[in-house]
Amino acid sequence: MAKAPLSPAAWIEAGLAQLTATGPMALRAEPLSRHLKTSKGSFYWHFKDVPAFQAALLAEWKERAMAQLVEDAALEGSDTDKMIRFGQSVQSDKAGPALRAWAQSDKSVAKTIHSVDAARLKRLVKLMKDIGVSNEDFAKAAYGALVGLKQMDNDDGDALVAFAALVDLVMALK
């Protein structure tokens, strides 16, 4: 039985998974082909070259992150619910820490992360203003803590508990 051809989306999914598991060196045709148990020809059928694949991967990650912000903003709930949901959204981004590490050596990755961070920070600033905390530096510190928690520990449960404690502190400032 012949194996079904891989789509560009399948390659990008595999790229995100491998980036998270092993780092940016996995984002090349050879290691991804081995991982997917297929030929490099399939890779080059969909992508002109490795930089084109990496650009597509970054665009997909950014699109997902931005869509998540829009989706979260449309949901109802208490101020606490909205802030916790924001934290859960950032924490659910499995590729985030690997992308941040990659950004240290790749300006295009850094630019993409900066764009997503700016949108997320804008959302958090709004959430805090909604409860009367207007100091944007506090939102920056909270977002930095949230990102840092993810960098420190891949156990989402612990990071979310810590972020929930920060949310409790913010709510006490009301």
Side-chain angles (χ1 to χ4, degrees):
M1 181 173 202
K3 187 175 179 181
L6 294 170
S7 66
W11 282 98
I12 289 171
E13 281 304 317
L16 287 168
Q18 288 301 102
L19 171 66
T20 301
T22 62
M25 292 305 291
L27 299 180
R28 297 173 305 163
E30 182 70 34
L32 282 172
S33 297
R34 275 195 313 270
H35 174 73
L36 290 169
K37 296 178 175 58
T38 192
S39 70
K40 289 191 297 185
S42 174
F43 178 91
Y44 289 110
W45 178 259
H46 297 296
F47 303 100
K48 175 184 169 195
D49 53 23
V50 171
F53 167 72
Q54 292 174 345
L57 181 137
L58 287 172
E60 178 64 22
W61 175 80
K62 180 179 178 179
E63 184 178 316
R64 289 178 188 185
M66 297 302 213
Q68 184 68 51
L69 281 172
V70 171
E71 183 181 313
D72 286 351
L75 296 173
E76 295 294 320
S78 70
D79 293 333
T80 302
D81 292 340
K82 291 176 184 178
M83 296 242 295
I84 293 294
R85 203 168 37 242
F86 173 83
Q88 289 170 332
S89 172
V90 173
Q91 289 292 304
S92 71
D93 178 6
K94 302 292 184 205
L99 284 164
R100 288 181 188 285
W102 184 18
Q104 297 300 308
S105 62
D106 189 309
K107 289 180 182 179
S108 65
V109 179
K111 183 178 176 184
T112 300
I113 288 175
H114 178 73
S115 175
V116 170
D117 282 347
R120 286 175 173 169
L121 184 57
K122 182 177 178 181
R123 172 73 178 139
L124 186 55
V125 164
K126 183 194 178 320
L127 290 171
M128 291 209 176
K129 283 184 178 177
D130 287 350
I131 63 164
V133 179
S134 60
N135 184 339
E136 291 186 15
D137 288 336
F138 197 85
K140 286 179 188 175
Y143 183 66
L146 186 58
V147 169
L149 287 166
K150 185 75 174 168
Q151 294 291 116
M152 285 174 38
D153 187 0
N154 282 333
D155 182 353
D156 292 341
D158 289 346
L160 286 173
V161 168
F163 185 69
L166 188 57
V167 169
D168 288 344
L169 174 63
V170 170
M171 297 311 287
L173 295 173
K174 280 174 66 167

